[in-house]
């Protein structure tokens, strides 16, 4: 097996998007291999015992890990500038995994009131039933986030820009407020993708993705991911390997192909959106544009 060397810090996102994480087998395949297998074989019973106990690294069972999924995780981690990434079956399962990995009955979340509808339902109905409560505050008002903090607050959850209102949160300001009280900050980076915004560089602890959206970018598969430091993603991994909403190898392979064109697509989409917004703004029958996002890639 040969692996792309990620130790060089000077790789640009275009290179990372096609190379990071790739691990070639002895066959020297050009495209990443698709490992369609539910489990893995061992050289001996002793090796199996070591793999199951975690004493030896390696694949055991696809609910835990799969080489194609690992390649996707490493590629997305490289793009987000994260130490680690854990892939999930969907964006919703990524959000669920963050909360259930780090919070328990009695804990409290502060979240923006403009979150994607299913996330609001997850927090206010499903998680509320487990004793994890949420206060929703305006995304754009850091003072409201500070005022909502309780002794039991463990997580700030924001989605910026929000879906569908495209409200923007000040990630750095919210992170300063949260960290002063030992609260984790998770950012749903689904809309911007790491091409336009890297929340970890702005101080966030965890980044959540619905890979179903721009990471795939071609409407083919569902997927999700959680990126961040290993000390935080490890808990997410433990939740996933037990509860089971892991990414399938096939979807990971499709997402690897999606990432290869991510920068080109996001740049084209941003240019098209800016052109459309400018046209609408100048149109005599349009009084006001609610949201005018002219975004320029930052990396
Ligand atoms: C911002 C945001 N987060 C999360 C999700 C959920 O992702 P998935 O559909 O992959 O579960 C969506 C889906 O539209 C979304 O727009």
């Amino acid at each position: 097996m040969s692996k792309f060397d990620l130790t060089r810090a000077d790789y640009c996102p275009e290179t990372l998007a096609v190379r990071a994480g790739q691990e070639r087998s002895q066959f020297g395949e050009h495209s990443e291999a698709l490992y369609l297998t539910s489990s893995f074989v061992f050289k001996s019973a002793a090796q199996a015992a070591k793999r199951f106990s975690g004493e030896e690294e390696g694949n055991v069972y696809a609910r835990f890990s799969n080489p194609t999924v690992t390649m996707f995780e490493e590629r997305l981690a490289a793009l987000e500038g994260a130490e680690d990434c854990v892939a999930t079956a969907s964006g919703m399962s990524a959000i669920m995994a963050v909360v259930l990995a780090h919070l328990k009955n009695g804990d409290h979340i502060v979240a923006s009131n403009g979150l994607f509808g299913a996330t609001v339902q997850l927090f206010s109905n499903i998680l509320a039933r487990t004793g994890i409560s949420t206060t929703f505050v305006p995304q754009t008002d850091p003072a409201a986030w500070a005022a909502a903090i309780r002794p039991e607050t463990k997580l700030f959850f924001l989605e910026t820009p929000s879906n569908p209102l495209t409200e923007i949160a000040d990630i750095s300001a919210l992170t300063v407020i949260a960290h002063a009280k030992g609260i984790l900050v998770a950012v749903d980076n689904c809309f911007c993708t790491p091409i336009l915004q890297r929340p970890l560089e702005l101080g966030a602890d965890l980044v959540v993705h619905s890979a179903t959206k721009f990471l795939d970018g071609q409407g083919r598969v569902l997927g999700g991911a959680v990126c961040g430091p290993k000390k935080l993603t490890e808990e997410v991994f433990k939740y996933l390997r037990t509860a089971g909403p892991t990414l399938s190898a096939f979807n990971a392979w499709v997402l690897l192909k999606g990432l290869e064109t991510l920068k080109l697509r996001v740049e084209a989409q941003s240019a098209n959106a800016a052109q459309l917004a400018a046209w609408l703004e100048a149109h005599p029958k349009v009084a006001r544009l609610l949201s005018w996002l002219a975004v320029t890639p930052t990396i």
Side-chain angles (χ1 to χ4, degrees):
M1 301 286 263
S2 68
K3 190 150 193 172
F4 179 70
D5 175 18
L6 258 184
T7 52
R8 278 176 51 185
D10 57 342
Y11 288 122
C12 61
E14 293 92 326
T15 304
L16 294 175
V18 294
R19 293 276 176 249
Q22 182 169 28
E23 185 155 14
R24 288 206 168 98
S25 77
Q26 71 275 26
F27 298 116
E29 64 279 358
H30 179 224
S31 176
E32 293 78 10
L34 171 49
Y35 291 95
L36 284 178
T37 179
S38 60
S39 46
F40 299 83
V41 294
F42 311 100
K43 287 188 187 129
S44 63
Q47 186 187 49
K50 281 187 182 166
R51 291 257 178 106
F52 270 94
S53 70
E55 201 183 317
E56 179 183 300
E57 274 198 22
N59 297 294
V60 173
Y61 188 65
R63 177 156 35 79
F64 306 178
S65 66
N66 172 288
T68 313
V69 176
T70 304
M71 288 190 254
F72 166 69
E73 292 170 333
E74 293 190 7
R75 186 163 298 175
L76 184 57
L79 288 166
E80 282 288 359
E83 183 188 2
D84 193 37
C85 169
V86 186
T88 60
S90 66
M92 291 317 299
S93 53
I95 298 168
M96 181 78 162
V98 164
V99 176
L100 290 185
H102 290 285
L103 277 72
K104 60 179 187 327
N105 179 300
D107 287 343
H108 174 248
I109 301 170
V110 183
S112 48
N113 59 11
L115 291 177
F116 173 60
T119 312
V120 173
Q121 292 305 317
L122 177 70
F123 286 1
S124 38
N125 294 331
I126 296 173
L127 289 170
R129 276 192 258 135
T130 71
I132 297 171
S133 60
T134 303
T135 302
F136 294 98
V137 294
Q139 166 115 308
T140 52
D141 181 4
W145 290 73
I149 294 174
R150 299 184 199 158
E152 63 273 21
T153 306
K154 294 285 163 26
L155 179 69
F156 273 17
F157 189 91
L158 44 141
E159 176 189 300
T160 181
S162 63
N163 179 10
L165 294 178
T166 62
E167 285 178 341
I168 309 291
D170 184 337
I171 298 175
S172 308
L174 293 179
T175 299
V176 170
I177 293 167
H179 288 175
K181 302 274 182 186
I183 296 166
L184 289 176
V185 177
V187 177
D188 185 330
N189 200 25
C190 166
F191 265 28
C192 270
T193 81
I195 300 302
L196 297 174
Q197 170 172 273
R198 304 214 292 179
L200 300 175
E201 286 175 0
L202 300 171
D205 300 291
L206 289 166
V207 171
V208 170
H209 273 288
S210 164
T212 317
K213 304 290 148 31
F214 296 114
L215 300 189
D216 171 23
Q218 287 148 86
R220 299 167 296 189
V221 296
L222 255 82
V226 181
C227 304
K230 211 169 175 70
K231 68 177 194 304
L232 295 178
T233 54
E234 233 162 34
E235 293 306 311
V236 177
F237 172 68
K238 282 185 207 159
Y239 163 79
L240 286 170
R241 67 176 270 175
T242 306
T246 37
L247 185 67
S248 77
F250 178 76
N251 287 11
W253 185 85
V254 172
L255 291 169
L256 277 162
K257 300 294 108 189
L259 287 182
E260 288 180 358
T261 55
L262 181 64
K263 188 159 187 286
L264 295 172
R265 288 186 285 104
V266 170
E267 280 173 354
Q269 285 160 197
S270 301
N272 289 347
Q275 217 179 337
L276 180 62
W279 180 80
L280 284 170
E281 204 164 45
H283 198 286
K285 291 191 174 165
V286 176
R288 186 167 69 99
L289 286 190
L290 281 180
S291 179
W292 194 163
L293 264 183
V295 277
T296 318
T298 52
I299 56 169

